[in-house]
């Protein structure tokens, strides 16, 4: 007997994580007074976008 | 819930917690060296998320490029330009931070609403797993050859430009008088970034 359970992490979880990362990057970009920290915030935002792009459904490892 | 899926959930929760807390530490910590090392931790956790998504090549590229190149470059920049400067106090700094935090919170709510109300076409295309490297190589050398070569030419231009900018003994002429001016002397009259060896 099989019970329908979410076997993978849903897409919205990844999108929410990317949103958290992007908003943190935006806050750092606005509020930092150091040039290197501005660069680091921009890198955070770029990584958030990459998480959004690379969502592919993971194969269900259950059998 | 099987053991595989629960392992996947636990890995996702741990990695996303590391990413979120690390990102907050990057923007909030007063010491920028700690921020740079936390940024490396965030990059590694994002690589772990890629592994969780069956994108092993992208995870390897993330570790090589971001942790190995970008983060080390940022650390070099911090350690070379380690100048303690006392910034002038801004009146109402806390209010400004709270206001920008409210703006970013609004952006976050908007993004969450988009993510949860859009009818996504699930499930997406099936992942190809380990064949991804072969597919990427084929695309890079057949139909994406021109952008690939353009990127390499762009990197070469950036490297030559950096060498030209880093040269100190370039003679240039003065704008007003027209007589040649030693750019090295102009550079030396400013505060040197690195302590020069005296012998």
């Amino acid at each position: 007997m099989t019970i329908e359970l979410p076997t993978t992490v849903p897409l919205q979880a990844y999108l929410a994580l990317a949103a958290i990362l992007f908003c943190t990057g935006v806050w750092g970009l606005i509020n930092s007074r150091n040039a290197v920290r501005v660069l680091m915030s921009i890198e955070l935002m770029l990584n958030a976008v990459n998480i959004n792009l690379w969502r592919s459904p993971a194969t269900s490892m259950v059998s | 819930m099987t053991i595989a899926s629960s392992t996947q959930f636990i890995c996702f929760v741990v990695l996303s917690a590391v990413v979120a807390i690390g990102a907050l530490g990057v923007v909030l910590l007063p010491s920028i060296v700690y921020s740079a090392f936390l940024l490396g931790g965030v990059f590694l956790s994002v690589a772990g998320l890629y592994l969780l998504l069956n994108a092993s090549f992208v995870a390897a590229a993330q570790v090589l490029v971001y942790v190995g190149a970008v983060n080390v470059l940022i650390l070099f920049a911090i350690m070379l330009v380690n100048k303690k400067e006392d910034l002038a106090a801004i009146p109402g700094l806390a209010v400004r931070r709270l206001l920008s935090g409210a703006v970013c919170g609004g952006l976050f709510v908007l993004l969450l609403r988009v993510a949860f109300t859009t009818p996504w076409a699930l499930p997406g295309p099936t992942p190809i797993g380990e064949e991804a490297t072969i597919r990427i190589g084929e695309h890079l050398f057949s139909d994406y050859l021109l952008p690939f070569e353009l990127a390499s030419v762009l990197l070469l231009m950036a490297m030559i430009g950096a060498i030209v900018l880093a040269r100190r003994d370039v003679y240039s002429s003065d704008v007003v008088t027209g007589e040649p001016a030693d750019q090295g002397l102009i550079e030396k009259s400013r505060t040197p970034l690195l302590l020069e060896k005296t012998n």
Side-chain angles (χ1 to χ4, degrees), chain B residues 69-194:
Chain B
V70 173
N71 199 18
V72 170
L73 180 72
I74 286 176
L75 274 176
F76 268 125
I78 290 170
M79 307 245 173
L80 286 183
V81 197
N82 197 4
K83 196 164 55 176
K84 280 288 180 188
E85 46 187 334
D86 295 325
L87 297 170
I90 297 178
L93 186 60
V95 178
R96 291 181 189 215
R97 289 192 165 185
L98 277 183
L99 273 180
S100 54
V103 170
C104 291
L107 178 64
F108 176 61
V109 169
L110 180 69
L111 285 176
L112 275 192
R113 178 180 156 74
V114 169
F116 281 97
T117 57
T118 308
W120 303 106
L122 289 175
T126 56
I128 53 177
E130 297 300 322
E131 291 182 25
T133 316
I134 304 171
R135 200 77 68 83
I136 289 171
E138 285 174 358
H139 280 301
L140 273 188
F141 284 100
S142 58
D143 47 350
Y144 284 95
L145 185 60
L146 183 63
F148 184 64
E149 295 296 333
L150 278 183
S152 64
V153 170
L154 181 68
L155 287 179
L156 181 67
M157 283 165 54
M159 194 172 71
I160 294 175
I163 292 173
V164 168
L165 284 181
R167 277 178 65 103
R168 293 289 192 225
D169 51 350
V170 177
Y171 284 89
S172 55
S173 61
D174 198 301
V175 179
V176 182
T177 61
E179 60 189 14
D182 191 359
Q183 196 185 359
L185 289 180
I186 300 172
E187 295 286 337
K188 283 200 184 81
S189 64
R190 294 195 296 191
T191 311
L193 296 179
L194 291 173

